[in-house]
Amino acid sequence: QVQFAESGGGSVQAGGSLRISCEVSGNTDRIYYMGWFRQDPRGEREAVAVSSSGGGSIFYANSVKGRFTTSRVKGTNILHLQMDQLKTEDSAMYVCAADHFGYARFGTWLDPQNFDYWGQGIAVTVSS
């Protein structure tokens, strides 16, 4: 079993910044890629940013490129997401996820089906 500790988030005005973090603990011997996803009220998830275990491969959704930066603390299962120039449409539940296999079984790493473990999520609200 793995456990997630997600922190940060909150409310900010459009144009502002927020930082969220995630640490995975427990049975982490086979945790490889980690990522942040946005989840809507229906439970649908879309990728925001994904990082390989060493941080050498990082992928972003087109909607956040140039505004969001994810970083993996080397040698750990800690993933940060720095969100700048926030827009109202960035408001969502942000959920941290971890992969158990180390290779993309479904399309690209931005496909949530590649992730096996999910955190509870952190609310991010951007007001105009």
Side-chain angles (χ1 to χ4, degrees):
Q1 270 193 328
V2 297
Q3 293 83 43
F4 287 78
E6 296 157 307
S7 60
S11 299
V12 68
Q13 286 194 317
S17 299
L18 283 174
R19 178 179 168 95
I20 56 178
S21 298
C22 170
E23 179 173 7
V24 179
S25 61
N27 185 12
T28 60
D29 287 349
R30 296 184 64 183
I31 294 296
Y32 299 103
Y33 280 65
M34 291 180 65
W36 286 103
F37 292 79
R38 295 197 280 221
Q39 183 170 299
D40 68 19
R42 300 167 299 172
E44 295 290 323
R45 293 166 174 159
E46 65 167 356
V48 176
V50 171
S51 173
S52 60
S53 56
S57 296
I58 294 179
F59 308 95
Y60 293 99
N62 288 333
S63 58
V64 306
K65 280 181 182 176
R67 300 189 298 121
F68 290 13
T69 304
T70 195
S71 56
R72 183 91 174 254
V73 179
K74 200 169 185 179
T76 76
N77 293 313
I78 298 172
L79 187 69
H80 302 298
L81 183 68
Q82 177 66 38
M83 302 180 286
D84 299 317
Q85 302 173 53
L86 281 160
K87 304 176 181 179
T88 55
E89 52 262 43
D90 294 320
S91 296
M93 184 70 73
Y94 283 71
V95 186
C96 181
D99 143 72
H100 183 65
F101 288 86
Y103 64 93
R105 293 158 288 153
F106 303 92
T108 73
W109 275 109
L110 296 179
D111 188 328
Q113 295 181 91
N114 288 308
F115 291 83
D116 309 285
Y117 306 109
W118 295 86
Q120 294 295 313
I122 301 175
V124 170
T125 303
V126 184
S127 59
S128 59

